[in-house]
Amino acid sequence: MEILDSKDNQEQKKRLHYYKALHDIANQIHASKNMDEILIDLREQILSLFDADRITIYVMDAQRKHIFSRFKVGDIPTEIRLPVNNRSVAGYTANNAQITNIENAYDKDELGMINKDLVFDKSWDEESRYVTRQILTVPIFFKNRVIGVFQLINKKHSARFTLEDQNSAIEMAKVLGIAFFNHQKLAQKSKKRTKFDYLIANNLITKNELQLAIARAREAKTNVESIFLNEMRVKKSDVGKSLAEYYGCEYVAYDSHYPIPTDLLVNLKQIYLRNNLWIPLDQDNGKVRILIDNPQRLDKIDSIKSLIPAESYEFVVGLKEDILQFLDYFYGNTRTQRIESINDILEKLDTTEEEEDEAVDMLTEDDSAIVQLVNKIIVDGHNRNCSDIHIEPLPGKLGAEIRFRIDGACSKYQTIPYKYKKAFVSRIKIMADLDIAERRKPQDGKIKFKNFNPLDIELRVATIPTVGGEEDVVLRILSAGEPIALNEMGMKKRDLQILNDAINKPYGIFLVVGPTGSGKTTTLHAALAAINKPETKIWTAEDPVEITQRGLRQVQVQPKIGFDFAAAMRSFLRADPDVIMVGEMRDRETVATGIEASLTGHLVFSTLHTNSAPETITRLLDMGMDSFNFADALLGILAQRLVRTLCRHCKEAYHPSREEYDSLVHAYDGDFDFQSFSYSDQFMLFKAKGCPECANTGYKGRTSIMELLEATGEIKSLIQHRAPMEEIRDQAIKEGMTTLMQDGIRKVLLGLTDLRQVRKVCIR
């Protein structure tokens, strides 16, 4: 009897010790000001308490219907992100608010008894050579809402997690639920406020998604709010609430039934309001209500007060789209043509059969409907992120087809009736200051679109005579933009390190090569932005200047007057440069001048139209460059292409066949095992599907694929001995160069694109 009492006392003491340890952990979590740090400090205590090997704490991303790892212990990926569904253990717990206590994660029958769709992803075990056996997952609640999942893996000294472990895990989940909420409130008070705190606080976006949206907005030359609305499917009302909370005022969305404040619009020019993004809404008892994109801009507020005298003012915030829609509505569609569709304009041009011949004779390039039509097509092309607009008149009594090149692929936009095609082309030639009477030879020019429309963009125009006495016109949209950061370009760690080392050298020449439209200028400007410091004098010669940077002295070359790239470079060498960027090395003189400049203490960047990095070396040597001077000057060569990326809203995961996997390995033509993607039931690729976000193409946006040849001692020696291109290529691969095809396949495996798109832009 005494022995039994002694055992009961020991068991009771053990239980008291267990719950005291749990209580101590809870107190430390609640008392800490840094949630992540305290969890790291307590990880050994938590593991010891549950006699577990690993912990993962997931947080709910309600907007994306995913859970992502906030804290974890063990050699597992940097971030785990799982859909809230029944296809994973943690996802099942988040989806159903149900506890799971699994004895053998590899036992399909045991998983099937919990849910018929439940599976265990073995790929993480295979990658880390770790064996997952027992799993205990508990939902984390706050106010009856699942906000995360607490997961324990592998019971160290038992066959499975006990009922006591399960109850303690429930208590730990309660502690975490309260702590997450309290720390979120504390973080909001202590951190620097941003316009999008409301979205993060309500799990509508994550911090990582905010950073991605900021980067995407910079790339697309738009505002972050537009990225949220158009690409991330955040509700407009939620973005408005976030702005209202930040600025401490009311958010006003566009309302087509709003009374037009005619008396307040007197003496206010629409173009001025559009450029400054504000508009008066109404006036009541001497107080004027102003809709503005930023109520904290004191310069705008001072201007408003000087233009609209009043006893008092109320400033309300609106999205850019809201303000522009109010402007269109208040001033009328006929003055802005923003809401009017292309079909509406074409209907104005429609004539009866009897009027056709007369219309052809009477219609001119100054006709208001033709002017509207040209402007509308250009505005639509810009709004759709189009790079080129192709106007293709067909011979005889056929019309003219308009095609937009978006993300590198052409798609049909509209067909113009044949009787208006000549006036349409003439209108564009007038805007570009070309000779409308000359239709027998090609012409080229530029359009400053802000002279004809509020949209501030520039277009490069090329006309080419085609069969049947027609003229094709191609408009390239040159919308000004800011450079993007090098670390946002999707480069491999090895390539990024080599590029950073090269651009920080005091002298030498670095080349970026590829066909037209492969992103060479964007890459060079990203490199220049990384070294653009007050102590560095940087000259650039470009044709045209598309990306502007403060701190650079940028020059537009004009070959028609003899001011070409070679002439610009000779001028730069007399203007005390540290760094020179030449838009393109088109001839022997420009290349020779560039190599000479790099050997005399200057850092030189330029582009060439070659297919690969090793091929560039043989091309320059064939142009007559001295092999020793060129080898001494060369820092590296980056070849790149742009591939269309799968639409992130609709891309579809699938398990490829063994044949498709083998074709990937064959196309890679190298050490495919280095990619760590072995063929198994869990091996997944992605394919295009199509949705409204991507115009049902399945693709939206582009990413770069690159091969970077570093000018090492061995490569320089091969250049000096004029080695064949294949020998240079083999040596570069031996030193770690990834070919264009290999980098493309890497991005296929990452789910960014598919092999079909990679094959479209490169051969090997």
Side-chain angles (χ1 to χ4, degrees):
M1 192 69 177
E2 288 180 5
I3 294 172
L4 288 174
D5 288 341
S6 176
K7 283 185 177 180
D8 287 343
N9 287 335
Q10 287 178 3
E11 191 64 34
Q12 191 174 9
K13 284 181 181 178
K14 186 178 177 182
R15 237 189 326 267
L16 286 171
H17 178 76
Y18 186 88
Y19 284 108
K20 183 180 182 302
L22 179 62
H23 185 69
D24 288 344
I25 290 170
N27 286 339
Q28 290 184 69
I29 289 174
H30 286 313
S32 173
K33 292 182 179 180
N34 189 311
M35 190 68 174
D36 294 321
E37 283 185 10
I38 193 62
L39 287 173
I40 291 170
D41 292 341
L42 292 173
R43 60 185 172 185
E44 295 303 326
Q45 286 178 250
I46 298 172
L47 287 170
S48 176
L49 177 70
F50 291 100
D51 190 30
D53 194 40
R54 292 187 173 186
I55 312 166
T56 307
I57 298 171
Y58 294 95
V59 177
M60 180 73 78
D61 178 353
Q63 179 71 14
R64 298 278 171 237
K65 294 186 178 179
H66 278 67
I67 52 173
F68 61 93
S69 54
R70 167 80 181 266
F71 171 79
K72 52 196 177 300
V73 175
D75 185 18
I76 46 184
T78 306
E79 180 183 90
I80 305 171
R81 186 169 280 271
L82 299 169
V84 178
N85 59 28
N86 298 335
R87 297 285 295 171
S88 67
V89 178
Y92 168 82
T93 294
N95 193 36
N96 301 281
Q98 294 291 320
I99 298 168
T100 69
N101 192 341
I102 298 167
E103 185 175 4
N104 183 359
Y106 283 79
D107 187 341
K108 294 181 181 179
D109 292 335
E110 183 181 1
L111 298 179
M113 290 176 67
I114 298 172
N115 186 279
K116 63 181 178 63
D117 297 325
L118 194 60
V119 293
F120 174 68
D121 186 352
K122 297 179 285 187
S123 62
W124 293 340
D125 278 8
E126 290 170 356
E127 286 179 31
S128 60
R129 297 181 181 177
Y130 179 83
V131 179
T132 301
R133 297 184 303 276
Q134 303 89 10
I135 303 176
L136 173 62
T137 58
V138 176
I140 300 172
F141 289 98
F142 184 77
K143 292 184 177 179
N144 298 321
R145 184 166 60 95
V146 177
I147 63 169
V149 175
F150 177 58
Q151 176 178 273
L152 296 167
I153 296 176
N154 285 358
K155 182 78 172 173
K156 287 184 177 179
H157 301 102
S158 179
R160 69 180 306 149
F161 289 101
T162 65
L163 183 60
E164 194 169 34
D165 290 329
Q166 190 170 304
N167 292 333
S168 299
I170 292 170
E171 294 301 316
M172 177 64 75
K174 289 178 183 177
V175 170
L176 291 170
I178 297 167
F180 281 154
F181 178 77
N182 290 337
H183 280 272
Q184 189 179 66
K185 284 172 58 179
L186 183 66
Q188 287 175 351
K189 289 180 181 178
S190 61
K191 74 177 182 179
K192 185 179 178 182
R193 294 174 65 241
T194 74
K195 291 192 292 183
F196 309 111
D197 287 349
Y198 173 89
L199 301 178
I200 295 172
N202 288 276
N203 292 321
L204 298 171
I205 61 168
T206 65
K207 290 180 181 178
N208 285 342
E209 285 173 333
L210 175 58
Q211 294 306 314
L212 286 172
I214 291 170
R216 178 73 188 104
R218 189 182 298 120
E219 179 187 338
K221 306 175 185 68
T222 186
N223 55 49
V224 179
E225 293 90 333
S226 296
I227 299 298
F228 286 149
L229 297 176
N230 300 328
E231 297 188 15
M232 301 176 72
R233 297 184 179 180
V234 180
K235 290 181 181 176
K236 188 177 179 181
S237 58
D238 289 326
V239 178
K241 283 179 187 175
S242 192
L243 294 175
E245 184 176 279
Y246 177 76
Y247 290 117
C249 64
E250 182 185 357
Y251 162 69
V252 175
Y254 171 67
D255 182 0
S256 60
H257 298 97
Y258 210 92
I260 299 175
T262 309
D263 54 335
L264 292 176
L265 298 175
V266 176
N267 299 325
L268 290 179
K269 293 190 176 180
Q270 181 192 359
I271 230 175
Y272 172 82
L273 298 177
R274 187 178 294 277
N275 289 337
N276 288 277
L277 289 176
W278 65 269
I279 190 168
L281 292 178
D282 54 53
Q283 185 172 16
D284 185 30
N285 294 325
K287 181 168 75 173
V288 174
R289 200 157 173 253
I290 305 290
L291 179 66
I292 189 170
D293 68 322
N294 183 350
Q296 294 178 357
R297 281 285 300 269
L298 297 179
D299 55 338
K300 286 189 184 182
I301 290 170
D302 289 340
S303 298
I304 291 167
K305 290 179 177 179
S306 66
L307 291 168
I308 308 177
E311 293 177 17
S312 62
Y313 302 85
E314 179 189 357
F315 292 92
V316 294
V317 69
L319 298 172
K320 179 181 178 181
E321 290 79 4
D322 293 321
I323 297 171
L324 294 178
Q325 283 181 299
F326 268 118
L327 279 164
D328 292 332
Y329 169 46
F330 286 176
Y331 281 90
N333 295 343
T334 55
R335 293 183 61 179
T336 65
Q337 288 88 43
R338 283 183 59 86
I339 298 174
E340 198 165 27
S341 73
I342 189 75
N343 291 326
D344 293 335
I345 298 172
L346 288 173
E347 282 177 12
K348 291 181 184 178
L349 293 172
D350 203 16
T351 57
T352 64
E353 290 292 327
E354 292 78 17
E355 294 172 321
E356 280 187 5
D357 292 335
E358 185 181 349
V360 173
D361 294 334
M362 298 293 292
L363 195 68
T364 70
E365 58 277 350
D366 294 322
D367 187 278
S368 63
I370 292 293
V371 171
Q372 290 177 36
L373 184 61
V374 172
N375 289 353
K376 176 64 177 173
I377 288 171
I378 292 172
V379 170
D380 279 1
H382 176 265
N383 290 341
R384 297 188 190 189
N385 290 324
C386 164
S387 61
D388 299 88
I389 300 172
H390 294 256
I391 296 114
E392 301 167 340
L394 301 172
K397 289 200 171 186
L398 298 173
E401 287 194 351
I402 312 293
R403 292 198 289 167
F404 287 169
R405 186 179 292 279
I406 301 171
D407 295 335
C410 285
S411 60
K412 186 175 178 180
Y413 165 71
Q414 191 58 259
T415 299
I416 297 172
Y418 87 93
K419 47 191 176 289
Y420 307 111
K421 60 187 179 184
K422 290 193 185 298
F424 184 85
V425 171
S426 294
R427 172 63 188 169
I428 293 172
K429 291 171 77 172
I430 286 173
M431 294 169 73
D433 199 23
L434 302 178
D435 184 358
I436 62 170
E438 180 56 75
R439 295 182 177 176
R440 298 167 300 169
K441 64 181 182 181
Q443 299 184 65
D444 59 84
K446 287 184 181 175
I447 296 174
K448 289 189 180 295
F449 195 53
K450 67 179 179 181
N451 294 334
F452 308 95
N453 188 279
L455 184 62
D456 187 10
I457 59 173
E458 191 172 295
L459 299 105
R460 188 167 61 196
V461 182
T463 70
I464 302 174
T466 53
V467 67
E470 305 294 348
E471 281 183 289
D472 273 30
V473 182
V474 179
L475 307 175
R476 167 151 287 193
I477 299 176
L478 309 171
S479 49
E482 294 292 324
I484 64 175
L486 277 178
N487 58 5
E488 295 173 2
M489 299 187 68
M491 299 178 72
K492 286 174 55 185
K493 187 176 179 181
R494 175 255 182 196
D495 292 351
L496 183 61
Q497 182 63 51
I498 292 172
L499 181 54
N500 273 317
D501 289 345
I503 65 178
N504 283 289
K505 292 274 175 53
Y507 55 86
I509 187 166
F510 189 89
L511 302 171
V512 181
V513 303
T516 301
S518 58
K520 301 186 296 297
T521 302
T522 301
T523 299
L524 282 180
H525 270 279
L528 291 176
I531 59 172
N532 186 2
K533 304 290 190 303
E535 62 269 20
T536 305
K537 181 61 179 271
I538 304 174
W539 284 100
T540 78
E542 303 169 69
D543 184 22
V545 177
E546 294 183 56
I547 301 172
T548 57
Q549 285 192 58
R550 186 170 182 174
L552 305 190
R553 306 312 301 152
Q554 295 177 262
V555 172
Q556 168 81 52
V557 299
Q558 300 183 57
K560 288 182 179 178
I561 61 171
F563 186 52
D564 55 14
F565 286 117
M569 184 172 283
R570 287 195 299 272
S571 300
F572 292 166
L573 291 173
R574 296 191 293 271
D576 188 30
D578 294 306
V579 179
I580 295 171
M581 192 271 269
V582 183
E584 187 182 339
M585 288 188 166
R586 295 175 178 169
D587 52 59
R588 185 184 184 283
E589 183 183 2
T590 309
V591 177
T593 307
I595 292 173
E596 182 184 340
S598 65
L599 290 171
T600 53
H602 305 95
L603 184 59
V604 179
F605 297 100
S606 190
T607 73
L608 262 84
H609 289 159
T610 53
N611 291 323
S612 68
E615 182 184 318
T616 305
I617 293 171
T618 55
R619 172 77 63 85
L620 292 176
L621 292 176
D622 288 344
M623 288 174 68
M625 297 302 106
D626 180 84
S627 60
F628 285 88
N629 285 345
F630 179 44
D632 286 345
L634 186 65
L635 298 174
I637 302 171
L638 176 69
Q640 73 176 63
R641 303 287 189 277
L642 293 178
V643 295
R644 300 175 77 188
T645 52
L646 295 165
C647 174
R648 61 193 297 271
H649 298 286
C650 67
K651 66 180 181 180
E652 203 170 56
Y654 72 100
H655 177 59
S657 65
R658 182 76 203 196
E659 291 75 17
E660 187 173 350
Y661 176 84
D662 290 341
S663 71
L664 272 177
V665 175
H666 181 264
Y668 192 83
D669 191 24
D671 185 11
F672 192 80
D673 292 338
F674 179 73
Q675 296 294 330
S676 300
F677 284 91
S678 58
Y679 189 76
S680 67
D681 292 342
Q682 281 71 44
F683 180 71
M684 304 294 283
L685 294 177
F686 288 85
K687 61 183 177 182
K689 183 181 179 184
C691 68
E693 291 287 339
C694 58
N696 291 314
T697 63
Y699 301 94
K700 188 169 185 180
R702 289 190 289 178
T703 189
S704 59
I705 59 174
M706 301 178 173
E707 67 176 31
L708 178 53
L709 181 149
E710 183 183 12
T712 61
E714 291 77 7
I715 294 291
K716 288 177 182 285
S717 177
L718 290 173
I719 295 172
Q720 289 168 351
H721 291 88
R722 294 181 174 271
M725 187 267 287
E726 287 296 334
E727 195 173 331
I728 295 172
R729 179 178 179 273
D730 292 343
Q731 179 62 36
I733 291 173
K734 189 187 298 182
E735 292 175 356
M737 183 185 82
T738 302
T739 67
L740 289 167
M741 178 63 76
Q742 289 171 348
D743 194 40
I745 290 174
R746 180 176 72 91
K747 292 183 175 175
V748 171
L749 296 170
L750 292 173
L752 297 175
T753 186
D754 56 37
L755 187 59
R756 180 165 154 265
Q757 295 301 320
V758 175
R759 288 189 186 279
K760 279 185 175 182
V761 298
C762 64
I763 298 171
R764 59 188 302 181

